[in-house]
Amino acid sequence: MLSHTSNHSEDVVRKNLRWLFILRNLMILSEGILIILCIYGLNIRIPEQQLWLVMVSIIVVNVYTSMRIQSEKPVTDIEIFSHISIDVFAITSLLYLTGGASNPITWVFLLPLIITAIMLPQAFAWYMVILTSSMYTMLIAFNVPLPSIEPHMINPAMLHPDMEHFVALQLTHEMRDHEYFNLHMFGMWSGFVFSAGLVAFFVVELAKTLKNQERSLAEARENALRDERVVALGTLAASAAHDMGTPLGTIAIVAHELEQDFPSHRFPELHEKVIIVQQQIERCKKALSLMSASAGEMRAESGRVMSVIDYIDGVLEQWRTHKAGAKLCLFIDPEIDTEASIIAERTLTHAIINVLNNAAEATQAELGVEFHARWDRQYMHLKIRDFGPGMPAELLEFAGKNPVVSRKRGLGVGIFLTYSTIKRLGGQINFTNMDSGGACVEITLPLLEAEAEDDDRA
């Protein structure tokens, strides 16, 4: 019943246990002062030995808590709830010995409820409502009455016969007072249960709101940092493209002269290698031209509305021009929505092609790359899988979130740019390693219909 997954990190849960240790120390100090004040200051007769025994038990539990904080064993939410429950039982024992529900400090039952609502998930707060309400109800029937509210009966044998009428009136008044006291106790109990429910609801909702705000701020900071890195990479790319123009042109001239100096009929092997160099130079020129053109275009100019099926065909056709020899296994869901549309943004196309290139380079040539696609009116789901060694376990968790230097070749920023592009367009991208081998990249993107509907609602 209490075994559910917690979203709290180990550091946060351990810090909560430390706070419980501090609050319990404050409870021990305050209860000790109240006991001494009642016994020696106000001369109220209360069961002193039993009270000090309860205090010693609380101290023992707190000593164990101090040792538990120092240990390296992980702290769980259930353990935190158990510690708070022990405090509830300790408070119940102290109130049982000092008047039960008639004690004016029974409101302290709200403190563990508030602490539970702040520290633990919502379900635990309602468990604590049940526990504290049960303890409060039990204290109404079972308690050691305080001396100030114990009934004082007059011995009839010591009264004059003429005073019997006044004794009867006194007994009647005491019976009415007892009825009013019971009504007062019921009112206090009802008020506590109602207050406990309100605290459990509003404090939990407030804590949830604060956590959502913290999560949103953390995501905003992460997005800002990622955008800053993307801008920095874009600036470096533009600078590199500018610097590479002149030497690339020089290399093209030299390659052309080599082609003329080494004709194919005299130097066939060398001439073939020079042709390959010229082809690669031409490819670099096209890439630089495309980068320069993309940098000066707005989103509306760099993308147009297309049907999803046409867009996927275009992406795969463009990828085929660079990876003509790669094997691709295409899987399209037969129950697709043919009217779904997407903005064919250039950066998105490059992001998908980058994932396909990485998969083609990592996979086994005979198995190729699997490309799964399905969509509806709202979202497009793509799954690109290779049959290679998979992604390193130490990089899998942070894939795409930070630039990672590749051990084999390149700067390792392709996946980072792909991740940033998908996130910027409101999509999701996940990297996993398959049990049967290879890596799998799952991409979810909102389609144009979903964006239009959101705009209408706004």
Side-chain angles (χ1 to χ4, degrees), residues 334-404:
E335 299 182 359
I336 59 175
D337 189 340
T338 57
E339 297 181 1
S341 301
I342 189 172
I343 296 181
E345 193 183 53
R346 183 169 294 166
T347 57
L348 175 60
T349 302
H350 288 316
I352 299 176
I353 291 177
N354 181 63
V355 176
L356 287 169
N357 288 336
N358 290 338
E361 293 172 0
T363 191
Q364 302 178 33
E366 63 276 8
L367 296 177
V369 177
E370 289 186 359
F371 186 92
H372 300 259
R374 61 182 179 88
W375 60 87
D376 52 25
R377 283 294 183 93
Q378 294 182 331
Y379 295 98
M380 177 177 68
H381 305 276
L382 303 178
K383 185 168 70 172
I384 302 171
R385 185 204 170 172
D386 62 64
F387 295 90
M391 299 183 66
E394 63 273 12
L395 301 180
L396 188 61
E397 182 180 357
F398 305 100
K401 299 179 181 179
N402 296 297
V404 179

Side-chain angles (χ1 to χ4, degrees), residues 282-440:
E282 189 65 24
R283 183 178 175 182
C284 291
K285 284 185 174 181
K286 289 182 179 179
L288 292 177
S289 300
L290 181 62
M291 183 185 301
S292 300
S294 299
E297 293 180 351
M298 300 297 290
R299 178 181 178 185
E301 298 174 351
S302 63
R304 63 185 186 277
V305 178
M306 296 179 60
S307 65
V308 177
I309 188 66
D310 292 338
Y311 175 72
I312 292 179
D313 286 341
V315 171
L316 295 179
E317 182 180 356
Q318 185 175 345
W319 175 71
R320 280 292 192 186
T321 60
H322 302 293
K323 295 288 183 180
K327 180 180 178 181
L328 179 67
C329 300
L330 182 61
F331 300 91
I332 302 292
D333 192 336
E335 299 182 359
I336 59 175
D337 189 340
T338 57
E339 297 181 1
S341 301
I342 189 172
I343 296 181
E345 193 183 53
R346 183 169 294 166
T347 57
L348 175 60
T349 302
H350 288 316
I352 299 176
I353 291 177
N354 181 63
V355 176
L356 287 169
N357 288 336
N358 290 338
E361 293 172 0
T363 191
Q364 302 178 33
E366 63 276 8
L367 296 177
V369 177
E370 289 186 359
F371 186 92
H372 300 259
R374 61 182 179 88
W375 60 87
D376 52 25
R377 283 294 183 93
Q378 294 182 331
Y379 295 98
M380 177 177 68
H381 305 276
L382 303 178
K383 185 168 70 172
I384 302 171
R385 185 204 170 172
D386 62 64
F387 295 90
M391 299 183 66
E394 63 273 12
L395 301 180
L396 188 61
E397 182 180 357
F398 305 100
K401 299 179 181 179
N402 296 297
V404 179
V405 178
S406 175
R407 295 181 180 179
K408 295 182 179 180
R409 59 189 180 86
L411 299 177
V413 298
I415 293 298
F416 172 69
L417 294 176
T418 298
Y419 183 91
S420 301
T421 300
I422 299 300
K423 286 292 185 180
R424 178 174 59 84
L425 297 176
Q428 296 290 332
I429 180 170
N430 297 312
F431 303 86
T432 56
N433 284 332
M434 307 298 293
D435 295 336
S436 57
C440 181

Side-chain angles (χ1 to χ4, degrees), residues 184-232:
H184 173 71
M185 293 297 296
F186 177 76
M188 290 179 59
W189 177 86
S190 302
F192 174 81
V193 173
F194 181 73
S195 301
L198 288 179
V199 168
F201 178 77
F202 285 107
V203 174
V204 166
E205 291 300 321
L206 179 61
K208 187 185 300 183
T209 302
L210 293 176
K211 291 175 184 177
N212 291 335
Q213 290 179 351
E214 292 177 358
R215 189 180 300 110
S216 300
L217 289 175
E219 292 178 356
R221 286 193 295 266
E222 182 180 354
N223 293 336
L225 180 60
R226 185 173 62 248
D227 293 342
E228 182 180 350
R229 290 179 176 177
V230 171
V231 171

Side-chain angles (χ1 to χ4, degrees), residues 216-292:
S216 300
L217 289 175
E219 292 178 356
R221 286 193 295 266
E222 182 180 354
N223 293 336
L225 180 60
R226 185 173 62 248
D227 293 342
E228 182 180 350
R229 290 179 176 177
V230 171
V231 171
L233 288 173
T235 303
L236 292 175
S239 177
H242 177 74
D243 295 339
M244 288 173 60
T246 300
L248 197 60
T250 303
I251 295 173
I253 295 174
V254 173
H256 179 71
E257 293 178 353
L258 289 175
E259 182 187 4
Q260 299 297 326
D261 295 340
F262 298 95
S264 58
H265 64 278
R266 295 180 56 188
F267 307 95
E269 294 184 0
L270 184 58
H271 185 83
E272 183 180 355
K273 292 180 180 178
V274 172
I275 295 299
I276 294 175
V277 171
Q278 287 181 326
Q279 291 175 350
Q280 297 303 315
I281 292 173
E282 189 65 24
R283 183 178 175 182
C284 291
K285 284 185 174 181
K286 289 182 179 179
L288 292 177
S289 300
L290 181 62
M291 183 185 301
S292 300

